[in-house]
């Protein structure tokens, strides 16, 4: 697969999944996710996908500072309805990493390893932070993504219009793609630990 090299340079996320351990899918249930996993899931790479990746990473580091986070041990609450804006895209990436699923999630085995209904959506409007909470001890955090410190290229709109034109050249499409992924690269490599971009609040 040909993709930008910085995808492999982006921060990785290590998880421990008791279900994977129980079923023999991974030794000790240890799984490592890379940004390319999120790209494959979404079918594309954009600031929203990259932002969701980093939001999960930020929350999990706060909730599990000394060990891999427990996949399936975290409940996630989205701040908006699932069909509002990019909420659904973000939720899919968060499900990939945390295992938290909506009503269509795994029902569990003998009352254990349940993933169903660990992902919830809000009917309220105006909130922007995603809430993550540990099921074992109740520790919870909220993470909000602010991309204002990572602006798009000044000519991105013009490049997009040109690339969308039926008669666009290979060079025009490539110029747009490079500018688009440039912002994703800056977000993942330069702002992965930036508290101004990833605003974390401890809820208890």
């Amino acid at each position: 697969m040909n993709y930008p090299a910085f995808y492999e340079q982006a921060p990785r996320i290590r998880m421990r999944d008791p279900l994977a351990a129980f079923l023999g899918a991974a030794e000790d249930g240890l799984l490592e996710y890379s940004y390319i996993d999120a790209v494959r899931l979404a079918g594309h790479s954009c600031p929203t996908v990259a932002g969701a990746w980093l939001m999960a990473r930020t929350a999990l580091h706060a909730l599990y500072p000394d060990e891999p986070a427990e996949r399936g041990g975290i409940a996630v609450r989205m701040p908006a309805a699932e069909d509002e804006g990019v909420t659904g895209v973000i939720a899919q990436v968060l499900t990939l990493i945390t295992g938290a699923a909506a009503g269509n999630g795994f029902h569990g085995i003998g009352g254990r390893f349940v993933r169903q209904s660990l992902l919830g959506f809000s009917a309220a409007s105006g909130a922007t932070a995603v809430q993550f909470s540990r099921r074992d001890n109740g520790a919870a955090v909220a993470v909000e993504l602010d991309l204002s410190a990572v602006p798009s290229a000044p000519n991105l709109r013009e490049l997009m219009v040109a690339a969308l034109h039926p008669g666009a050249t290979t060079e025009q499409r490539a110029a747009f793609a490079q500018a688009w992924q440039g912002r994703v690269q800056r977000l993942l490599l330069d702002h992965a630990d930036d508290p101004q971009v990833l605003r974390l609040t401890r809820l208890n």
Side-chain angles (χ1 to χ4, degrees):
M1 176 179 179
N2 296 319
Y3 49 79
F6 76 85
Y7 288 5
E8 293 290 355
Q9 300 166 3
R12 293 173 175 260
I13 300 176
R14 295 191 74 212
M15 303 292 291
R16 182 178 61 83
D17 192 325
L19 177 59
F22 180 70
L23 296 177
E27 185 175 356
D28 296 326
L30 290 175
L31 303 170
E32 184 175 79
Y33 293 89
S34 66
Y35 178 63
I36 189 63
D37 293 320
V39 174
R40 288 174 177 137
L41 171 74
H44 68 284
S45 170
C46 69
T48 296
V49 173
W53 180 263
L54 294 178
M55 290 171 77
R57 176 177 178 265
T58 298
L60 296 176
H61 278 189
L63 292 174
Y64 298 84
D66 303 316
E67 60 183 330
E70 181 180 327
R71 193 170 188 273
I74 305 121
V76 177
R77 181 74 177 177
M78 302 300 297
E82 59 184 322
D83 60 350
E84 181 177 326
V86 295
T87 300
V89 176
I90 295 172
Q92 288 178 349
V93 175
L94 298 184
T95 294
L96 167 71
I97 300 166
T98 68
N104 61 344
F106 183 57
H107 291 225
I109 303 173
R112 299 173 59 191
F113 315 121
V114 175
R115 309 295 165 82
Q116 184 184 38
S117 300
L118 295 184
L119 173 68
F121 297 88
S122 175
S125 59
T128 55
V130 179
Q131 295 183 16
F132 301 78
S133 59
R134 287 181 58 158
R135 300 174 65 201
D136 56 354
N137 62 12
V141 297
V143 182
E144 182 177 7
L145 181 69
D146 183 354
L147 293 175
S148 61
V150 194
S152 302
N155 62 336
L156 184 66
R157 183 174 181 82
E158 291 78 6
L159 291 172
M160 178 182 284
V161 170
L164 285 171
H165 192 277
T169 65
T170 300
E171 292 75 16
Q172 286 175 314
R173 291 193 294 270
F176 165 70
Q178 184 175 5
W180 181 268
Q181 292 302 318
R183 188 184 188 199
V184 177
Q185 180 174 0
R186 295 197 309 275
L187 175 60
L188 287 171
L189 302 189
D190 300 336
H191 298 276
D193 298 300
D194 188 343
Q196 298 304 311
V197 174
L198 296 147
R199 298 178 177 173
L200 182 138
T201 303
R202 295 188 181 274
L203 302 179
N204 50 31

